[in-house]
Amino acid sequence: MCLAIPGKIVEISRDNADSALVDVVGVRRRIDLGLLQDDKPVAGDWVLIHVGFAMSKISEQDAFDQMNTLRALGEIEGAMQEVEGYGLENMN
Amino acid sequence: MRFVDEFREPELISRAAEEIRRLAGTERHYRLMEVCGGHTHAIYRFGLKDILPENIELIHGPGCPVCVLPMGRIDDGLSIAQQPDVIFAAFGDMMRVPGTQGSPLEHKARGMDVRIVYSPSDALKLARLNPDKQIMFFAIGFETTAPSTALTLMRAKAEGIGNFSVFCNHVTIIPAIRAILDSPDMRLDAFIGPGHVSTVIGCRPYEWIAKDQHKPIVVSGFEPLDMLQSIVMLLRQLRAGEAKVENQYKRVVPWEGNRAALRAMAEVFQLRPYFEWRGLGFISQSALRLNDKYAAWDAEQRFYVPGIRVTDPKAAQCGEVLKGVLKPHQCKLFGRECTPEHPIGALMVSSEGSCAAYHNYEHRKAAMATSLTSIA
Amino acid sequence: MAHGAGGKASRKLVEGLFAPLLFGSSPGPLGDAAHIDINGTRVALTTDSFVVKPLTFPGGSIGELAVNGTVNDLAVSGARAEALLVTYVLEAGLPTPVLEAEVRAMAKAAWDAGVRVAGGDTKVVEHGKADQMYVTTTGIGHLIPGITVDPRSVRVGDKILLSGPIGDHGITILLARGELDLEADLRSDTRSVLPLVETLIRAAGPGIRWMRDPTRGGAATSLNELARDCGLGMVLFEDQIPVRDTVRGACELLGLDPLHIANEGQFLAVVSPEYADAAINALSLAPGGGEAQVIGEVREQPVGTVLVTTRYGGSRIVDMLVGDPLPRIC
C-alpha cells in the first residue's frame, strides 16, 4: 500500500482552494488538497501525493536532519569501536 | 532537495549497510517483518536483500490490500458491473487479480466496461461525464487510501451526483498486525512499520506492539536509505533490550497522524463487525463500509450482491505465505500451477505480493550467488 | 488482449501458434525481419501493424509510426528499406481531413526516411470498428554488407548499447489519452534509426552481434528475448540507462518501470568488447545519437535473464511484460 510520491506545489487553483498543480520532476499533475485542510500548504511547499491527494506536508528540515544522521553513521562507528574495545558494551 | 534521489545516495547506503552488519554481528538471527506491501516492493526494487547480512531475515507481512481480498469479493464487484450500463472503475492493481470467472481485464476483453483510474476522484469524474451510466468504484486500500475515498464520497453527496457508488473493501492495518502476533506459528523480533498508513493514523496506534508484545517497531519510509536506517534503529533497540515505537519517516509522518483525514473517514465510514481476509480468516472490526448517511452511494446497497464465499483451491497456501509462515517457494503451487501469467492467488499477481516479488526477483537469483560478488 | 502488448503473451501466441503452423521448418530464433534468398539475391522483408489511440500525439501520429516502425525493423535486422506497401483499414465515418493528415504525415515520414511507398490497399469497416484507423506497412529492403545479426553469436563479455533515452513514446501516448491528469513536456521519439544503425555498422560492423528496436514491451522485453535466445545473462547498470527526468517522474507517479515502456525511435545493440568503444563514440558524435550509452554487458549468469544492478550493490531481475504496463497505487 502505498505508492506515494513527493511533489512540489506550483500553484493553488484560483477557483478551488482544494485543488493544486504539483510538479514531480517536470511532470505536472492536478491534485486534491482536501485532506490538508488543517494545515493548508502554499505554493513552494512539498507534499506527499497518493492517489491524487496530498496526504502530508514534507518537512525539509526533517529531511536535512535525517541526511545528517545518516552521514554521521560512519563517524559514530569509529567511536563505538573504541568503546567496545574496553568491553563496556553489552552485546545482547 | 527532491526528497527521492538524496535517499538513494550510494555512499550513504554503503555506510548504512556497514552499520547494519556491525550491529547484527554473527551470533544472533534476526526476524524482522515489514508489514506494508509497499516495503516488500521496495526491498525487491532496490535489491536491499543483497546488501543485508545473512542473519537478518525479512518476513513479508500482510499489508497488501489486493492480496488479502478474498476471491468472492472480486466476484461480487464484477457481478455488479455485469449489470447493464454499469462502468467498473478500479486502480490498475486490481486489473489482473483473478476472480472465479476471470480478472477485471479478462472481463473487459469479454465486453464489460472496465476503466482504470488513478484516483477515486477520477471515478467521480467518470460519473459526471457519463450521466446515463452507473459508475461503480471498486475501492481497495488500507488507511492510506480510505480518506481519499471518503472525501470523494463527501463531494459526491455535496454535488448530488447520483450515478456514482463505491464497493468498499478498505481494510485497517492494526487488526492485521494483531492477527499476525496472535498466530501461534509466528516468531518475530521486530517490525518495520507502515510508512504511508501512518501519515493518516499516526504512530500511537502501534504503542501496544511495543508495550504489550515487547516488540520494537520503527515507522519507515520507502527509499533505500529509509529502510536501512529503520533496520539500524530496530537493531539498536533489540541489542539494548528495548521495545518502543520510533518514527524514522519524520519528514512525512506526523506522530499524531492527519486529523482531517481521520475526520473524513469518520464522516463516511463505519467499521464492519467482521470481514474475511484471505489467508487470515475472519477478523472483527477490521474493515470499513459506508455508514447510513452514505447508504445511497454504497454499491452493496444499490445493487444486488451474491456474496458467495469462494475458498481458495486446497493446494494454494496463500494464507501461510501472507502470514509469513511459509516462504513463497514453499507453497506447492508456486512456479508450477501458479505463475505471474496464470496466477491462482493475488499474491502472485499484485505488484506487492510476496509470491510475485519472489518469483521475479529471488527465485531465479538462487543459481547466481557467485556472480553477485563480481558485480560490486 | 494481453497478447498484443508485446510481452510474454504475445511471444506465446507467435511461438505457439503462428510459428509452427506458418513458418514451417524455419530454424533459429525469430528476428525483426525475414531475410530471404530470391535467385541469389538476398532481400529483407518485414511487416507490422499499427494501432494507436489517440491517432495523433506530441511528436507524431500513426502515419509516422507506420513508416518508421517498419524502416526500423529492417534497419535492426541489418537492412536498408527500399520500399513500403501500406494497408489502411478505415472506420466508416472517419472525417476526411483526419485521413488526409495521416496520409500526409506518412508521405513526409517516408521522404525523411528515404523510402518510397510503392503501393497499398484500403478497406472500410463499419463504424465502431478499427478505432478510426489501423495501418499496416510491409517493407522490403536490401541487406547492408558487412553485418550479420544473430543472437546465437552473442558472447560473454559483449557490451549492450542503447541509442538514447527510453520511455518517451509510451509515456507520451499514456498522457495523450487524457485519462490521467498528468501533463508533461514530452514527445514521442518516433524517427528512423537507419542513419544511426548505418553509423554503427561503419564504425563497428564486424563486432555487431545483435540489434533490436524495443517497441511494445520495452527494452526489458527485447533483452529478455535475447537472453532466452542465447542462453546468457543480460546485466544492466541502472544509473547508465538513459531516461529523461519527465519520463522518470511520470513512471514514479504511476508505478511503472521505464524498461517496460514502448519506444519508437531507439535501438539496442550488442557489440563485441573490441568494437564497443568505437561503436559508442561513433554513435554519440552522430546526429541524434548524443545520448547513446553503454548500459550493460553480457554475462554467463543469470542464464536467460535480465538483471539490473545498482551502484550500491543491490540488484533486481526484470522480466518480460505480462500484458500492458498498468499503473498502480500500491
Side-chain angles (χ1 to χ4, degrees):
Chain A
M1 81 225 119
C2 324
L3 187 59
I5 307 290
K8 185 172 185 176
I9 297 192
V10 170
E11 79 175 11
I12 314 273
S13 303
R14 250 169 291 246
D15 26 303
N16 182 0
D18 273 344
S19 168
L21 195 63
V22 281
D23 181 290
V24 178
V25 216
V27 181
R28 284 172 301 284
R29 187 177 211 272
R30 199 149 282 287
I31 59 156
D32 199 313
L33 298 179
L35 298 175
L36 293 185
Q37 315 225 348
D38 295 350
D39 185 16
K40 292 197 161 100
V42 296
D45 280 346
W46 282 80
V47 290
L48 188 75
I49 306 155
H50 173 68
V51 303
F53 285 75
M55 305 299 301
S56 160
K57 272 204 238 179
I58 304 183
S59 157
E60 199 156 1
Q61 187 55 56
D62 282 326
F64 276 121
D65 289 345
Q66 182 188 354
M67 295 310 291
N68 288 335
T69 308
L70 287 164
R71 281 195 194 101
L73 270 182
E75 291 145 37
I76 293 177
E77 179 205 322
M80 289 299 284
Q81 275 177 346
E82 240 190 82
V83 174
E84 271 162 57
Y86 298 140
L88 294 175
E89 212 195 43
N90 187 349
M91 283 303 281
N92 227 5
Chain B
M1 254 236 178
R2 238 219 74 210
F3 301 104
V4 173
D5 302 325
E6 299 82 358
F7 300 103
R8 298 184 189 179
E9 218 190 281
E11 166 59 32
L12 291 181
I13 290 177
S14 300
R15 272 196 229 176
E18 250 314 294
E19 179 68 1
I20 289 174
R21 240 183 298 279
R22 195 188 66 76
L23 288 167
T26 46
E27 299 107 48
R28 186 173 163 182
H29 188 82
Y30 294 96
R31 289 167 62 91
L32 311 177
M33 173 175 275
E34 92 278 355
V35 178
C36 165
H39 281 138
T40 309
H41 186 91
I43 288 166
Y44 286 107
R45 179 183 167 188
F46 298 117
L48 294 181
K49 283 195 179 184
D50 296 332
I51 54 184
L52 290 175
E54 294 277 305
N55 57 329
I56 294 190
E57 193 183 340
L58 292 175
I59 318 267
H60 307 315
C64 162
V66 172
C67 305
V68 297
L69 203 56
M71 211 186 259
R73 289 293 287 179
I74 299 164
D75 283 349
D76 285 344
L78 287 169
S79 80
I80 293 176
Q82 248 144 21
Q83 290 165 50
D85 293 327
V86 175
I87 297 180
F88 178 99
F91 297 134
D93 313 61
M94 281 308 302
M95 289 297 152
R96 277 199 272 269
V97 181
T100 52
Q101 309 295 320
S103 67
L105 264 188
E106 284 167 330
H107 277 75
K108 184 182 169 104
R110 299 202 286 262
M112 182 184 284
D113 197 339
V114 172
R115 314 274 181 107
I116 298 178
V117 290
Y118 177 68
S119 166
S121 21
D122 289 344
L124 187 58
K125 192 154 57 152
L126 277 176
R128 284 191 204 101
L129 293 172
N130 297 279
D132 51 330
K133 303 268 187 194
Q134 279 286 333
I135 304 337
M136 189 210 80
F137 176 56
F138 191 99
I140 54 159
F142 284 86
E143 291 97 325
T144 328
T145 322
S148 305
T149 304
L151 203 51
T152 304
L153 280 162
M154 287 162 70
R155 301 240 167 83
K157 184 169 199 233
E159 288 175 52
I161 298 178
N163 60 329
F164 177 74
S165 64
V166 171
F167 185 68
C168 184
N169 297 292
H170 285 303
V171 282
T172 54
I173 196 66
I174 298 296
I177 300 178
R178 223 180 265 283
I180 296 286
L181 285 169
D182 285 344
S183 195
D185 29 10
M186 175 55 45
R187 244 193 56 245
L188 288 174
D189 295 313
F191 288 94
I192 297 172
H196 294 138
V197 164
S198 308
T199 61
V200 174
I201 68 176
C203 300
R204 277 194 201 293
Y206 308 115
E207 280 168 359
W208 63 277
I209 298 172
K211 289 203 177 76
D212 306 338
Q213 302 278 339
H214 309 293
K215 307 232 181 271
I217 173 166
V218 172
V219 172
S220 174
F222 295 78
E223 296 299 328
L225 277 177
D226 288 322
M227 297 200 66
L228 294 176
Q229 186 175 26
S230 301
I231 294 175
V232 166
M233 290 162 77
L234 284 173
L235 290 174
R236 285 195 182 136
Q237 283 198 45
L238 286 168
R239 283 168 42 119
E242 288 174 343
K244 49 187 190 198
V245 182
E246 287 188 276
N247 182 5
Q248 180 279 334
Y249 203 14
K250 284 204 180 80
R251 65 187 185 276
V252 158
V253 173
W255 193 270
E256 300 297 330
N258 180 335
R259 293 252 165 77
L262 292 168
R263 276 198 314 268
M265 284 173 64
E267 160 70 18
V268 172
F269 296 123
Q270 71 186 61
L271 276 169
R272 294 179 193 264
Y274 55 82
F275 191 70
E276 185 180 7
W277 290 54
R278 191 168 202 168
L280 297 177
F282 285 90
I283 306 182
S284 57
Q285 315 269 306
S286 64
L288 303 174
R289 53 168 279 224
L290 278 63
N291 62 30
D292 295 332
K293 278 192 283 181
Y294 286 82
W297 289 269
D298 187 343
E300 287 175 88
Q301 307 224 33
R302 186 180 293 189
F303 300 100
Y304 165 70
V305 172
I308 300 171
R309 275 197 67 215
V310 178
T311 46
D312 286 332
K314 279 210 178 62
Q317 296 170 285
C318 307
E320 279 106 316
V321 176
L322 261 171
K323 283 190 282 196
V325 171
L326 279 188
K327 291 259 182 296
H329 67 277
Q330 292 169 320
C331 168
K332 297 187 195 64
L333 303 184
F334 178 84
R336 284 181 275 268
E337 291 90 330
C338 188
T339 61
E341 296 97 85
H342 297 117
I344 306 271
L347 283 89
M348 188 57 92
V349 83
S350 164
S351 54
E352 298 186 328
S354 343
C355 297
Y358 198 89
H359 189 276
N360 290 331
Y361 303 129
E362 196 98 4
H363 188 50
R364 291 185 285 168
K365 285 210 278 181
M368 41 162 289
T370 42
S371 67
L372 280 176
T373 53
S374 61
I375 286 171
Chain C
M1 277 306 294
H3 294 95
K8 277 188 184 162
S10 302
R11 194 167 157 93
K12 266 203 195 129
L13 191 62
V14 173
E15 291 176 1
L17 183 66
F18 296 138
L21 292 178
L22 296 174
F23 302 162
S25 53
S26 233
L30 302 167
D32 287 293
H35 292 183
I36 61 176
D37 197 308
I38 303 181
N39 288 340
T41 310
R42 302 260 297 162
V43 293
L45 260 185
T46 192
T47 190
D48 211 343
S49 297
F50 299 87
V51 173
V52 69
K53 207 178 191 169
L55 284 184
T56 54
F57 39 84
S61 66
I62 194 172
E64 275 110 314
L65 292 188
V67 167
N68 293 329
T70 293
V71 168
N72 292 347
D73 274 344
L74 285 172
V76 298
S77 79
R80 182 176 305 125
E82 293 295 338
L84 298 180
L85 294 173
V86 181
T87 311
Y88 285 97
V89 173
L90 304 171
E91 184 182 349
L94 177 72
T96 317
V98 173
L99 176 59
E100 189 177 326
E102 286 318 316
V103 177
R104 282 187 194 284
M106 177 172 279
K108 179 169 189 309
W111 176 264
D112 289 342
V115 71
R116 64 197 144 97
V117 180
D121 186 47
T122 311
K123 290 283 180 295
V124 178
V125 295
E126 41 179 69
H127 185 67
K129 318 267 181 205
D131 271 333
Q132 296 189 287
M133 74 170 75
Y134 298 148
V135 182
T136 302
T137 46
T138 301
I140 189 167
H142 69 262
L143 304 192
I144 301 172
I147 170 172
T148 321
V149 171
D150 189 343
R152 291 167 298 189
S153 67
V154 172
R155 299 281 173 271
V156 172
D158 285 348
K159 303 291 181 201
I160 304 170
L161 276 61
L162 177 56
S163 60
I166 48 171
D168 289 12
H169 178 78
I171 299 295
T172 299
I173 298 293
L174 208 52
L175 299 187
R177 289 213 183 111
E179 289 155 359
L180 303 163
D181 232 330
L182 292 182
E183 251 179 53
D185 259 322
L186 205 51
R187 305 159 59 80
S188 166
D189 60 352
T190 179
R191 61 173 176 174
S192 159
V193 299
L194 181 60
L196 282 178
V197 167
E198 288 180 314
T199 301
L200 180 66
I201 293 174
R202 274 193 300 273
I208 300 176
R209 317 279 209 206
W210 171 91
M211 292 190 290
R212 178 145 300 165
D213 54 337
T215 51
R216 278 179 121 151
T221 299
S222 302
L223 289 170
N224 265 287
E225 285 172 346
L226 176 62
R228 238 193 63 159
D229 288 343
C230 69
L232 297 170
M234 305 291 132
V235 178
L236 306 181
F237 313 124
E238 179 139 69
D239 41 312
Q240 284 172 225
I241 302 174
V243 182
R244 286 191 212 290
D245 275 346
T246 30
V247 171
R248 209 185 288 278
C251 285
E252 296 244 357
L253 266 170
L254 298 170
L256 299 171
D257 188 342
L259 287 170
H260 284 136
I261 310 290
N263 311 280
E264 291 290 334
Q266 305 299 343
F267 69 99
L268 289 157
V270 171
V271 176
S272 70
E274 310 84 66
Y275 282 94
D277 284 337
I280 201 66
N281 288 337
L283 281 178
S284 30
L285 292 172
E291 289 160 293
Q293 287 270 20
V294 174
I295 62 167
E297 58 187 32
V298 179
R299 300 205 186 151
E300 214 170 295
Q301 300 278 358
V303 170
T305 305
V306 177
L307 188 76
V308 176
T309 61
T310 64
R311 260 191 292 163
Y312 50 82
S315 64
R316 71 181 203 279
I317 291 180
V318 181
D319 206 352
M320 262 198 251
L321 212 47
V322 180
D324 281 312
L326 294 175
R328 59 184 186 93
I329 65 126
C330 282

